[in-house]
Amino acid sequence: MSSTSTAPRSPAAPRPATVHRSPTAPPRSFLWTRRVVLTLVSLFTLVPVYVMISSSLKPLGDVSGKFSWIPTSFTIRPYIDIWSTIPLARYFLNSLIVAGTASVCSVVVAIFAAYAVSRYRFRGKRVFTVTVLSTQMFPGILFLLPLFLIFVNIGNSTGVNLYGSRGGLILTYLTFSLPFSIWMLIGYFDSIPKDLDEAAMVDGCGPLGALFRIVVPAAIPGIVAVTLYAFMTAWGEVLFASVMTNDTTRTLAVGLQGYSTQNDVYWNQIMAASLVVSVPVVAGFLLLQRYLVAGLTAGAVK
Amino acid sequence: MTSHPSPDHHSLTRGPASPVLLEATSQVPPAAGGDVLKSGGARPRVPRIPDRIRRGGLPYLLLLPALVLELLIHIVPMAIGIVMSFRGLTQFFIRNWGQAPWTGLHNFKVAVDFNAPIGKALLHSFYVTCGFTVLAVGLSWLIGTGVAILLQENFRGRGLLRTVFLIPYALPAYAAIITWAFMFQRDNGLVNHVLHDQLGITAKPSFWLIGDNSFYALVIVAIWKSWPFAFLMVMAALQNIPRELYEAASIDGAGMWQQIRKITLPSLRSVNQVLVLVLFLWTFNDFNTPYVLFGRSAPEAADLVSIHIYQSSFDTWNFGSGSAMSVLLLLFLLLVTAVYLIFTSRGRKSTDV
């Protein structure tokens, strides 16, 4: 190694880049491994997606009989029937309200908390961040039983009916979306140079002014990504939804079970409904994939 | 793992130090939100405005909403859950649980009495969960890491594949799991159609969602759901490996496989420490997969702890017993996490992350 700079030597001190070498040409064995493995993994990933799409276009007789890769007869009826077999539109609305409110609430609260953690030193900061982080590892069942009891007893003593209500479910959803949002946003805010908001404060902004004029606008992609992620988690949540809802407040995650009746399991409609409920979150995910991935991985490699 | 070079090193070099140099000496990924605005703490020093330290109660004011919510949704319920586990909280006391008799450690004794039915079932479900977790986490990690490494070099179709592999991550869990449930149906499912009708591997169509096979069904679905997360994390870590390392290695005549073994895998050590822990916690607490696949009561072979506690709480309404089991589960998770962290950090030099 003949690096002559005054920089500390490192095992991998870069050579002066005079020769532009192409990186190692992959050997045959590597190329074949890549082909085989990626083909198998793609199949594993996509077969369920294919089953979902193709089965949603088959008549009931076809999904009840032997499975066939290619639909013999082709129909879009399932997409029409899903709305009448069960009150799907209502469940959709419930999911939308619950997941939307829970994610927006937790992100709004998290913005203030993450700003404090990211920009200030104060007593108890470590305790706070460790608590927030550790609640993410607790099993949901640990909170489900006490929350259920609390809701039932509040209803009994005050007449405020949290159990089975949308508000109650939203509250339980904060148990996972709030710590997650705080954690992710701390990562995003840390990546915004402090000089920016410090300069704003010198120019006469208050701390809140600096937060809303500088930090939040700079972190918009991150904030949107965290909101979406919180939304996705709430949208697919099953545990709390299975206990804390009733007929009118049921969400999609629990409502889809309605397609299995005593006489028939409408598999084609189940598949069609699964696709319909997946579209909003998958579309959002693909749109914001870049920001989401960046935030997720940053939070974890910290 | 080497620690970050301290910024003082670079007071020698004029201007901002080349990020390459910095990155090459540190295998710690920059802990920033994606785009590297801070190049590893090597910004040239500017006279700084004094740090905003403890400016009165402002930080606490900012934290207040979060603190209140944390209290309401985490701290209070957990305290109540722990209190509940010491009480005989059966269905008679659900509506006014203050009246439930104090039973001390009785619920815990019942839960760990492995000769009586309740303890026996719990122990069995614990074993099942351990086996399930080891298999699902191990294979998810393996597939995720392997695929990330294979996608490291650019080739045609790489971007498309990357998007495809994130589909399981983006689909709502229940929608994906219910599709797997359909595929595992005995008479009209894809799995039996392929194994029995098309390949003739199984002599007759087998049951996948009841009996012993249900364990494998559960593992497969869990892997399908969680390997993309491993893939994402490893992919992010791979982007932090400086190209120069590979170039130097190829100049020294190392082949592709050797480079993977000598450069790529060692660089992934720090991300793996976090990744395996997160995967473990998710998988061990997994409720969605068994619930959507099997319904309220899972077959014995696939009776994960989370659904076991759920079922024994809500079917018999014995919340005291359910709470005791939850507390035991939590203690176990805390213990494993603590041991894991001690073990993984022992091999580390101090890092300033």
Side-chain angles (χ1 to χ4, degrees):
Chain A
M1 293 278 157
S2 60
S3 101
T4 49
S5 67
T6 52
R9 283 192 175 213
S10 63
R15 315 180 139 248
T18 43
V19 192
H20 270 290
R21 286 173 170 277
S22 59
T24 321
R28 266 246 166 85
S29 59
F30 181 83
L31 288 178
W32 275 107
T33 310
R34 186 160 77 187
R35 271 175 213 148
V36 171
V37 170
L38 292 185
T39 307
L40 287 176
V41 174
S42 306
L43 276 177
F44 180 51
T45 305
L46 287 175
V47 161
V49 181
Y50 175 78
V51 169
M52 215 193 249
I53 297 169
S54 66
S55 307
S56 71
L57 296 166
K58 292 177 183 176
L60 184 60
D62 284 15
V63 287
S64 309
K66 271 251 175 286
F67 178 83
S68 59
W69 286 94
I70 312 292
T72 42
S73 48
F74 190 83
T75 170
I76 54 161
R77 274 230 62 103
Y79 286 92
I80 299 160
D81 294 341
I82 45 175
W83 305 96
S84 54
T85 309
I86 61 167
L88 185 66
R90 187 201 306 158
Y91 300 159
F92 218 102
L93 188 68
N94 287 337
S95 278
L96 213 55
I97 292 172
V98 170
T101 316
S103 51
V104 170
C105 281
S106 51
V107 168
V108 168
V109 171
I111 284 176
F112 292 107
Y115 181 63
V117 171
S118 164
R119 293 296 194 260
Y120 290 92
R121 279 186 244 161
F122 52 89
R123 227 176 256 259
K125 180 166 153 173
R126 252 196 97 71
V127 176
F128 177 78
T129 43
V130 168
T131 309
V132 165
L133 184 63
S134 57
T135 46
Q136 289 200 62
M137 63 172 272
F138 296 166
I141 189 91
L142 189 77
F143 302 113
L144 175 70
L145 299 183
L147 283 167
F148 173 81
L149 270 196
I150 293 170
F151 286 3
V152 168
N153 284 282
I154 285 179
N156 261 359
S157 50
T158 64
V160 179
N161 211 357
L162 280 172
Y163 172 61
S165 72
R166 288 199 202 104
L169 190 62
I170 290 167
L171 211 55
T172 61
Y173 278 8
L174 293 181
T175 55
F176 55 83
S177 63
L178 181 66
F180 166 85
S181 308
I182 293 177
W183 192 245
M184 292 261 287
L185 284 179
I186 290 174
Y188 279 117
F189 287 179
D190 278 347
S191 71
I192 294 163
K194 280 192 180 141
D195 309 1
L196 283 181
D197 40 311
E198 272 158 13
M201 307 231 313
V202 170
D203 292 344
C205 264
L208 283 180
L211 169 63
F212 286 114
R213 291 197 185 160
I214 308 291
V215 180
V216 168
I220 281 288
I223 290 172
V224 173
V226 174
T227 314
L228 173 77
Y229 193 82
F231 184 89
M232 281 169 60
T233 331
W235 188 258
E237 205 282 332
V238 177
L239 174 67
F240 291 112
S242 71
V243 173
M244 298 288 197
T245 56
N246 57 28
D247 290 348
T248 50
T249 57
R250 190 157 298 156
T251 57
L252 289 167
V254 188
L256 288 198
Q257 293 166 355
Y259 291 110
S260 340
T261 58
Q262 291 292 330
N263 325 319
D264 253 324
V265 182
Y266 298 102
W267 281 113
N268 52 349
Q269 290 188 40
I270 295 179
M271 295 296 107
S274 298
L275 264 174
V276 169
V277 306
S278 302
V279 166
V281 281
V282 173
F285 183 88
L286 293 181
L287 276 176
L288 296 168
Q289 185 186 318
R290 264 202 7 249
Y291 305 116
L292 249 177
V293 169
L296 262 180
T297 45
V301 283
K302 247 182 159 169
Chain B
M1 295 255 303
T2 50
S3 59
H4 267 299
S6 72
D8 301 334
H9 267 314
H10 304 286
S11 49
L12 299 172
T13 55
R14 297 252 167 79
S18 80
V20 166
L21 254 180
L22 270 178
E23 293 296 292
T25 49
S26 81
Q27 290 170 0
V28 188
D35 37 43
V36 191
L37 286 162
K38 306 190 275 191
S39 58
R43 272 183 291 136
R45 295 211 169 163
V46 287
R48 289 186 55 123
I49 298 127
D51 238 352
R52 286 175 268 163
I53 304 172
R54 282 195 294 275
R55 279 260 306 271
L58 183 69
Y60 298 107
L61 213 59
L62 290 167
L63 280 180
L64 194 65
L67 283 174
V68 170
L69 275 174
E70 284 284 331
L71 261 175
L72 275 180
I73 59 183
H74 283 137
I75 314 289
V76 171
M78 258 173 68
I80 289 179
I82 291 169
V83 170
M84 269 162 44
S85 62
F86 292 104
R87 290 179 174 233
L89 194 64
T90 50
Q91 67 267 40
F92 309 110
F93 301 104
I94 294 286
R95 289 192 165 279
N96 48 4
W97 62 285
Q99 306 289 317
W102 186 265
T103 53
L105 287 172
H106 174 77
N107 287 325
F108 291 94
K109 283 189 185 126
V110 171
V112 296
D113 178 4
F114 300 136
N115 299 319
I118 291 181
K120 208 183 204 150
L122 183 67
L123 185 68
H124 169 81
S125 130
F126 176 74
Y127 286 151
V128 168
T129 313
C130 287
F132 163 75
T133 307
V134 168
L135 271 178
V137 171
L139 288 167
S140 297
W141 175 83
L142 196 71
I143 298 174
T145 307
V147 170
I149 290 175
L150 292 173
L151 283 184
Q152 202 181 354
E153 291 287 316
N154 206 352
F155 61 92
R156 218 169 357 144
R158 173 167 169 252
L160 177 71
L161 278 178
R162 217 160 57 172
T163 307
V164 164
F165 292 154
L166 292 182
I167 289 175
Y169 199 74
L171 280 176
Y174 60 91
I177 303 167
I178 215 165
T179 308
W180 277 101
F182 176 48
M183 288 161 63
F184 280 124
Q185 293 296 307
R186 175 166 165 262
D187 297 324
N188 53 348
L190 172 143
V191 175
N192 276 345
H193 176 68
V194 171
L195 289 183
H196 175 70
D197 306 345
Q198 293 190 306
L199 301 176
I201 294 174
T202 48
K204 61 178 198 300
S206 28
F207 285 105
W208 288 99
L209 298 180
I210 49 174
D212 288 351
N213 281 344
S214 55
F215 177 78
Y216 299 105
L218 191 64
V219 170
I220 287 170
V221 179
I223 292 171
W224 186 86
K225 264 180 48 195
S226 52
W227 82 262
F229 178 73
F231 162 71
L232 265 185
M233 292 292 160
V234 175
M235 209 166 55
L238 288 178
Q239 285 169 355
N240 290 317
I241 303 176
R243 258 194 103 66
E244 287 71 22
L245 285 180
Y246 291 109
E247 278 167 10
S250 73
I251 290 168
D252 294 343
M256 195 96 183
W257 292 115
Q258 219 179 347
Q259 286 176 29
I260 289 174
R261 215 172 41 237
K262 292 273 165 37
I263 299 168
T264 312
L265 291 177
S267 314
L268 291 179
R269 209 161 289 157
S270 63
V271 79
N272 281 340
Q273 285 175 354
V274 180
L275 177 61
V276 169
L277 182 65
V278 172
L279 280 177
F280 160 79
L281 290 170
W282 274 1
T283 312
F284 206 93
N285 297 329
D286 191 3
F287 174 85
N288 293 357
T289 315
Y291 185 83
V292 180
L293 275 183
F294 311 117
R296 280 183 77 104
S297 59
E300 210 174 317
D303 193 20
L304 296 186
V305 169
S306 57
I307 201 153
H308 181 87
I309 297 176
Y310 177 87
Q311 196 200 338
S312 53
S313 305
F314 285 99
D315 284 4
T316 60
W317 294 105
N318 190 340
F319 273 30
S321 165
S323 301
M325 289 179 191
S326 306
V327 171
L328 287 173
L329 170 62
L330 179 64
L331 288 176
F332 170 77
L333 293 175
L334 286 173
L335 182 78
V336 171
T337 308
V339 169
Y340 178 87
L341 289 178
I342 290 166
F343 253 87
T344 51
S345 59
R346 248 207 324 217
R348 272 201 225 185
K349 294 195 197 99
S350 70
T351 60
D352 58 352
V353 171

